[in-house]
Amino acid sequence: MISTARIYLTKRLLFTSFVMLLAVFVPVLMIQLISQLPRSALSTELVWPALMGLAPTIFYITLPVVVGLANTWAYSEFAAEGTLTTLYTAGLSTLNVRMPAFIIAVLATMLGYVVSCEISPRGATQIENVVYLIENDLSPSLIEPQRFYTLNNGRRVIQYEERLNKNWIKGVFMRDIDSNGDEEVIFADDAIFERRADESWIILRNGHIQYRKQGTDGDTVAFTQITRPTGLAGENFPKRKWTGYFEMPLGDFLRNYDKAQKDPRQLSQWASEALERFGIPILALAHTMLGLALVNLYGGNTGRSSKFTAAMVLCGILFAHFMLVLAAEFASSQGTTLALIVACAIVLQILISIFLFWWAMRRPRRKMRPAGRRTALVRG
């Protein structure tokens, strides 16, 4: 009986967690993607590495609140359906009935630590490379039609009228000025970008070139096809000269603490990252215990969970979680004092959750009186 009940409860909890994950994780991921990339990059090949880079971080940040909300909502539904009353009648204790939620929260916490300490840093490197590429080394996919782009310290200009696909453009204008001041102006009907390892080249078709040397009028030559370097990014991401704490595996991150102590700004960044890596995943347990305790204590006098109470508890958990996440993020620029306050807030929520959960589990359950007995009492 006990094992069958636990399997049933676990299946319901896992399904509710999956639905909550879709409701929270996916929108947050999309919002972060749109905020990180310019509009011109959202329709390019950079979207996929950016998405894969952001997903692990968003996953471990939203996982605790997803699990906490799912467990709280599911048990409020169990109470409203009378499932909990049936299980209590069968002899299961309050703690026994809530053990599946506790186990799921523990597993979510462990998964959160694996993602935050090992998988997320690799993803962070991907998204930082994408952002660095956009800001410092244009990709052919990012240049927009009817705009002039200056490259190679102003010695090269590229402009085109229309993009036909990712690598094919129409109505191309290029101008190159070499170190001697000689100028080469190219007009082409269309062109195709050829991605090479470190730089993209361009194959220009059906046009003419104007060669202008200093002090001369220059010559014009027609061509069918020519190839030129562009100065745009190639297939490989440009190499950055710095590495953020959020990109470091667990061992490297911990070893950099002594180095971070020498600079207050770096110490703030290290503390902010430490809060997110080590403080956020354990909130899966804290949110679950807090939600179950509050629903059990204040869910209604009849033993059935009030929908309003459950909704208020869910909103409170959601608000508290994202306030802690935002505060931990802001600690990187606001100093170690804010980081210490956030750390204390996380510890305080954990302690309050443990106390309320312990209190709720020890409180005796109200017994339902038979309907006839209640009527007799009223009449007489």
Side-chain angles (χ1 to χ4, degrees), residues 3 24 85:
S3 60
V24 177
T85 303

Side-chain angles (χ1 to χ4, degrees), residues 133-378:
L133 170 65
I134 293 171
E135 294 179 349
N136 298 277
D137 199 359
L138 274 175
S139 167
S141 302
L142 294 177
I143 61 174
E144 299 177 0
Q146 300 181 7
R147 288 185 58 184
F148 289 93
Y149 290 88
T150 304
L151 307 165
N152 291 3
N153 297 318
R155 295 184 177 276
R156 179 175 295 137
V157 176
I158 297 178
Q159 187 263 351
Y160 69 96
E161 295 179 358
E162 182 184 354
R163 181 179 291 275
L164 302 177
N165 64 28
K166 183 175 71 173
N167 292 317
W168 186 15
I169 57 178
K170 179 183 177 182
V172 185
F173 165 81
M174 281 188 66
R175 186 181 69 181
D176 266 316
I177 302 175
D178 63 20
S179 57
N180 298 324
D182 296 340
E183 185 177 1
E184 179 184 82
V185 179
I186 303 175
F187 296 90
D189 291 343
D190 67 322
I192 298 174
F193 288 110
E194 183 182 76
R195 308 292 182 97
R196 300 186 182 182
D198 298 319
E199 183 182 4
S200 292
W201 285 56
I202 190 169
I203 303 172
L204 300 129
R205 303 188 297 190
N206 301 322
H208 60 272
I209 307 175
Q210 295 177 359
Y211 296 101
R212 300 174 183 172
K213 293 188 177 182
Q214 283 188 325
T216 65
D217 293 335
D219 299 318
T220 301
V221 177
F223 64 86
T224 303
Q225 180 172 303
I226 58 172
T227 303
R228 292 287 188 275
T230 63
L232 298 170
E235 293 181 347
N236 299 333
F237 284 108
K239 294 182 179 179
R240 290 180 286 121
K241 297 180 180 179
W242 58 273
T243 301
Y245 291 123
F246 49 83
E247 300 177 68
M248 297 179 182
L250 180 60
D252 293 343
F253 175 73
L254 295 175
R255 283 190 290 270
N256 270 268
Y257 175 68
D258 293 335
K259 180 181 177 182
Q261 283 185 304
K262 300 175 183 178
D263 184 348
R265 182 171 173 272
Q266 290 191 11
L267 183 60
S268 297
Q269 294 173 350
W270 191 94
S272 172
E273 178 62 20
L275 280 172
E276 293 185 8
R277 288 196 189 199
F278 307 131
I280 299 301
I282 200 172
L283 290 176
L285 267 171
H287 292 332
T288 294
M289 288 190 292
L290 181 63
L292 294 182
L294 292 177
V295 166
N296 188 66
L297 291 170
Y298 306 108
N301 295 327
T302 63
R304 298 196 172 203
S305 178
S306 163
K307 295 285 187 179
F308 178 77
T309 300
M312 289 295 97
V313 172
L314 294 178
C315 290
I317 291 174
L318 188 64
F319 176 78
H321 181 80
F322 282 107
M323 287 300 294
L324 289 173
V325 170
L326 289 175
E329 184 68 28
F330 279 122
S332 64
S333 59
Q334 300 299 318
T336 54
T337 302
L338 179 58
L340 182 61
I341 293 173
V342 176
C344 291
I346 292 174
V347 172
L348 182 62
Q349 183 187 338
I350 293 171
L351 293 177
I352 291 174
S353 300
I354 292 173
F355 172 75
L356 289 177
F357 187 76
W358 170 81
W359 185 24
M361 295 305 101
R362 284 177 59 89
R363 193 182 74 158
R365 299 190 301 273
R366 292 184 175 90
K367 293 183 179 181
M368 296 290 291
R369 292 174 177 174
R373 176 60 176 164
R374 288 200 302 270
T375 305
L377 289 173
V378 171

